[in-house]
Amino acid sequence: GINAEYMGKLVAQPYGVVLVMGSWNYPVQLCLGPLVTALAAGNCVIVKPSELSPHTAELISTLLPKYLDPICYRVVVGGVPETTELLKERFDKIMYTGSSAVGKIVMTAAAQHLTPVLLELGGKCPVIIDNTANLTSAARRIIWGKGLNAGQTCLAPDYLLCPHALQQELVEALQAAKLAFYGDDQQASPDYARIVNDRHFERLSKLLPSGRVAFGGQLEPQQRFIELTVLVDVTPDSPIMQEEIFGPLLPIVTCESVDAAIEFINQRAHPLAVYLFSTDTQHVEQVTAQTHSGGLCVNDTLMHSVPPQLPFGGVGHSGMGTWHGKWGFDAFSHTKPVMHKYSGVEFVNELRYPPYSDKKAHRLKTLLSHTPQF
């Protein structure tokens, strides 16, 4: 901006040295995506892949030094001890993708150095289905979002809220979509993933009795296969409703109105996403205004994270900060305002110099009362 007294501009400067802590569920994307973004903003980067995806971690640690200057970009591999030591160092920005529990540990460590953090966490992403929804397309988009990576996605639909009168028709549409995508034998489908390790398989297996199986329910421990399963007769206090599922189990909780669904969601921690299937404009506006989440996607799942023109991130329990596209560049940059004052027209400054008087105060008040132009 320019006026009679000065020129002003904004300069984007890299933070400096950034720590990127990737996640195991999309171990390439969630390491290299933030790396590229931080690199574009001019930072040096240390990448810490998740130890729960060891083969990918090894691959990244082998390939990255071949293509990027190791003076500016390094990979650190290892488990909890290595990560603990890494977090003792002073970084200029930390980005972590993973669970809320570990996010608190990262934020505590960052606070020792007043280091800003970008936390991409998770939470229980609800799906509201009202009486106006197209159940066929809704079911296909829900099953796709839940079946992707066997439900091991931070944005995966976690539970469904729908009126009791719609439940049976919705279950039938969901089952038809599952059959269309994965066939009669889901275990034989080349498009369906497995659970990452035995610990998560056991955790998910224990959640299965939280409701009545409407369809699915097959388990195969040796392959860590869990069939995409829809549960009904699920109560709000059941075990599956107390934690992020992060797997292919999809409970349905009956909710008789959009008002009741909103109340149900707002009684819980802010999720990374809220999904609404509706053709009612008022319901869309109501859910937009009255729920608080990282993002809202109407009549689809996951897809709001794809366009680079939209920021992606959580709020509250589901994280802080946003990235993707230009938002990512901004997340890894400090925006520095620069003012260049002219050395002349000194008479303009007399108003702010002592000695002060009522006349000066009145003139200053008049000048400062002008509405700024943004």
Side-chain angles (χ1 to χ4, degrees):
I2 301 175
N3 68 18
E5 280 195 85
Y6 68 87
M7 291 190 301
K9 63 179 179 179
L10 300 176
V11 176
Q13 289 190 317
Y15 272 109
V17 179
V18 172
L19 172 62
V20 170
M21 302 175 67
S23 184
W24 55 262
N25 57 330
Y26 294 93
V28 174
Q29 177 188 357
L30 295 178
C31 278
L32 299 191
L35 167 64
V36 169
T37 307
L39 185 155
N43 296 278
C44 296
V45 186
I46 291 181
V47 178
K48 171 59 180 70
S50 172
E51 68 277 12
L52 297 183
S53 49
H55 300 300
T56 305
E58 182 182 357
L59 182 66
I60 291 174
S61 67
T62 301
L63 291 180
L64 215 61
K66 295 181 178 180
Y67 301 100
L68 293 179
D69 186 347
I71 295 177
C72 298
Y73 309 99
R74 292 290 184 95
V75 181
V76 174
V77 295
V80 173
E82 289 79 8
T83 303
T84 301
E85 289 302 311
L86 197 57
L87 286 172
K88 291 178 182 178
E89 300 297 322
R90 181 189 178 278
F91 292 94
D92 298 298
K93 181 110 184 196
I94 297 175
M95 177 175 176
Y96 166 74
T97 303
S99 69
S100 298
V102 177
K104 294 175 183 178
I105 295 171
V106 172
M107 193 170 181
T108 299
Q112 306 307 308
H113 303 288
L114 297 180
T115 298
V117 294
L118 199 168
L119 301 178
E120 296 296 345
L121 308 178
K124 296 181 73 64
C125 298
V127 182
I128 303 172
I129 302 165
D130 76 4
N131 290 301
T132 71
N134 181 323
L135 291 188
T136 301
S137 65
R140 291 173 66 86
R141 295 170 192 185
I142 291 167
I143 289 294
W144 172 78
K146 190 65 168 179
L148 187 68
N149 205 26
Q152 298 166 112
T153 305
C154 58
L155 283 170
D158 194 273
Y159 61 94
L160 309 185
L161 298 171
C162 79
H164 186 269
L166 280 184
Q167 180 175 272
Q168 184 56 39
E169 187 180 354
L170 175 62
V171 167
E172 291 172 1
L174 292 168
Q175 189 168 16
K178 172 180 173 285
L179 180 65
F181 293 169
Y182 301 113
D184 289 320
D185 183 2
Q186 189 173 357
Q187 190 171 354
S189 171
D191 302 313
Y192 189 70
R194 298 298 186 262
I195 305 305
V196 66
N197 57 31
D198 291 337
R199 180 171 66 86
H200 281 285
F201 181 89
E202 289 299 322
R203 178 185 63 81
L204 289 164
S205 301
K206 291 176 181 177
L207 294 178
L208 196 55
S210 295
R212 177 170 60 85
V213 174
F215 64 82
Q218 181 186 352
L219 306 176
E220 211 295 296
Q222 281 194 325
Q223 287 192 18
R224 296 195 299 272
F225 166 80
I226 298 181
E227 187 179 6
L228 206 163
T229 302
V230 168
L231 300 174
V232 295
D233 300 337
V234 175
T235 60
D237 59 353
S238 64
I240 202 167
M241 295 302 294
Q242 308 313 309
E243 61 180 81
E244 182 180 7
I245 297 169
F246 223 72
L249 309 179
L250 186 59
I252 298 178
V253 178
T254 55
C255 225
E256 296 310 311
S257 67
V258 170
D259 287 335
I262 290 172
E263 182 180 359
F264 188 93
I265 293 167
N266 288 342
Q267 289 171 348
R268 289 153 179 80
H270 299 325
L272 189 57
V274 169
Y275 301 114
L276 169 65
F277 286 87
S278 174
T279 57
D280 187 321
T281 303
Q282 288 187 334
H283 284 172
V284 173
E285 292 177 353
Q286 184 182 4
V287 173
T288 301
Q290 296 179 16
T291 61
H292 204 181
S293 59
L296 170 66
C297 189
V298 180
N299 292 325
D300 211 336
T301 63
L302 278 65
M303 291 303 295
H304 65 290
S305 68
V306 175
Q309 296 85 358
L310 295 178
F312 174 72
V315 61
H317 195 74
S318 58
M320 62 182 66
T322 56
W323 70 300
H324 286 194
K326 175 62 164 55
W327 301 89
F329 179 88
D330 292 339
F332 288 107
S333 302
H334 167 64
T335 303
K336 180 167 71 176
V338 177
M339 174 187 281
H340 186 173
K341 293 275 290 189
Y342 302 114
S343 58
V345 294
E346 180 63 12
F347 70 91
V348 177
N349 295 314
E350 291 298 328
L351 285 176
R352 63 185 172 98
Y353 294 157
Y356 300 117
S357 65
D358 290 342
K359 183 178 179 180
K360 282 187 176 182
H362 178 73
R363 292 183 65 186
L364 276 172
K365 184 177 180 181
T366 301
L367 289 171
L368 295 175
S369 66
H370 291 177
T371 302
Q373 300 298 314
F374 295 109

